[in-house]
Amino acid sequence: MEQTLSTSLLENKLAVKGMFGTAIDFYTKDITLMGYPCCICMLEGLSSIERLWVMMLEILSKPETQPQTPEELYDYILKQTAIPLESKSVVCLEDARVQLTAGTSVILIDGVARGLVLSTQSMQYRSIQEPSGEGNLRGSRESFTEPLRVNISLVRRLIRTEELMVETMTVGERTQTEVALLYNTKLAPAAVLTAVKRRLQAAKLPFLFDTGYLTGFLQKSRFSFFQSVGYTERPDTACAKICEGKVVIMANGSPFAMIVPYFFSENFQSMDDYSEKAYFASIIRVLKYTAFLIAVMLPGVFVSVANFTPELFPPELLYKVASAELATPLPLFLEALFVNFLLEVVREAGLRLPKPIGHSVSLVAALIVGDAAVSAGIIGTPIIIVAALTAICTYVVPSLYEPITVLRILFILAGGLLGPLGIVALFFWMLLGMCGMNAFGIPYMSPIAPGSKAFLQDGLLRRSWRRLAQANFSIRELPGGETEELE
């Protein structure tokens, strides 16, 4: 049961101090306001002491009236001064903890069982910068940052209608992290909203430092290489998804917003698609789909053809592949696995090390290790070329990097052990698995399968803005978009 505040200033002060113990950043100051004992509480670093004293001195140094009771002092500060106060007062210790950790200051008055909350937030955070992983040629150069309120303001600045709704809740038993849901009240399906809220409330996490922690709770427990939630660090992308009827989830401390539901085709779209000519955006999308298939299947198909059906190679290419493999000690599919393993090691090393050193590691691995391995006859030149091509194609669709990497290894094993039959079987297994997924009641492959008008407007090919402006697309139009109840 939550402990409520009492009318004794001493008891309230001791109770608040008991929550934070001997924390060095917890600051309290006993003062007298208009003849009544008071106490100011704040957390240094989250609140500004200078801002607090400027407010108090300017407003209370020359009071217009003299309160006769502590309650009158409380009402006077709350209603008759220009001090910026939060709308919610502190009535229990839990309220005090929430307000203090949010960067506000709390004034406790002797004789009043409530506390005033002053807006003295002054938290340090990283400035708004360009997106690091979602580059574009045109459009906004802003990306989300860590404070939740700043991220909400970036979205609010772009969507200035009353239809934008922002709801908050806390997740994480030990961190009490604030999580925000942003959606359009007229476009977001009620079933999707209900399912998202229910799953978030059921998420039992000890701590939450990134929106990615919530992925396993939002998706169904069925295993899949793909996921029905997406991420973005761009405010304009988040706003575009809200305008399609989707729900955007943000967590305090995370610069990445989560998008639900998220469909397979959205991995191949970008904000530049809508700033360029329709024909060029369509070509780029076809290129991305082709790069996805190459990144997943090319090594496996190459190994399968070389081992089981070499007659499919042109004679000149067959001779080069055969001569290269005769000079290496490993079977072809083991070479392919080894090269992919090496690529992942180089990527991880370059990603985790400081940027200057990371670039050096990638360069050394690519030029020295690769060239030395080929020269020493450990790895054949054809498999190096195939691996390099697949690595480049993988980076064309960065949001699918994890499933592409795992599926590529499975295709290499299927092609090396079972040949063409294994490649075909694994491809249809992957396709059936994708078609069997659903994103909060809506098929994951929408609008591709089952087909809908949205696929003709903005699917594999993109229509001109004259046609798109008339389509008025939202996820309500997709199969399952009007489902009233989700399990």
Side-chain angles (χ1 to χ4, degrees), residues 372-394:
V374 173
S375 301
I378 300 175
I379 301 173
T381 304
I383 203 67
I384 289 288
I385 296 174
V386 170
L389 180 59
T390 56
I392 294 172
C393 290
T394 302

Side-chain angles (χ1 to χ4, degrees), residues 19-71:
M19 287 193 301
F20 298 98
T22 58
I24 192 173
D25 60 338
F26 181 61
Y27 171 86
T28 60
K29 175 68 174 177
D30 293 322
I31 61 174
T32 300
L33 294 179
M34 301 182 184
Y36 297 98
C38 302
C39 180
I40 294 178
C41 306
M42 67 164 59
L43 289 173
E44 293 186 63
L46 299 182
S47 300
S48 171
I49 296 178
E50 293 80 6
R51 186 177 177 186
L52 171 65
W53 291 123
V54 167
M55 284 192 233
M56 301 298 293
L57 292 175
E58 286 188 357
I59 302 300
L60 301 178
S61 59
K62 298 178 181 179
E64 298 178 358
T65 60
Q66 179 61 41
Q68 300 301 316
T69 63
E71 285 288 347

Side-chain angles (χ1 to χ4, degrees), residues 471-483:
N472 192 26
F473 169 75
S474 73
I475 61 173
R476 288 179 179 270
E477 302 175 10
L478 298 176
E482 291 291 349
T483 304

Side-chain angles (χ1 to χ4, degrees), residues 136-141 234 236 271-272 275-277:
N136 64 316
L137 297 176
R138 301 185 183 131
S140 172
R141 292 291 191 269
R234 297 178 58 93
D236 53 353
M271 292 303 294
D272 274 341
S275 301
E276 298 165 340
K277 289 287 188 179

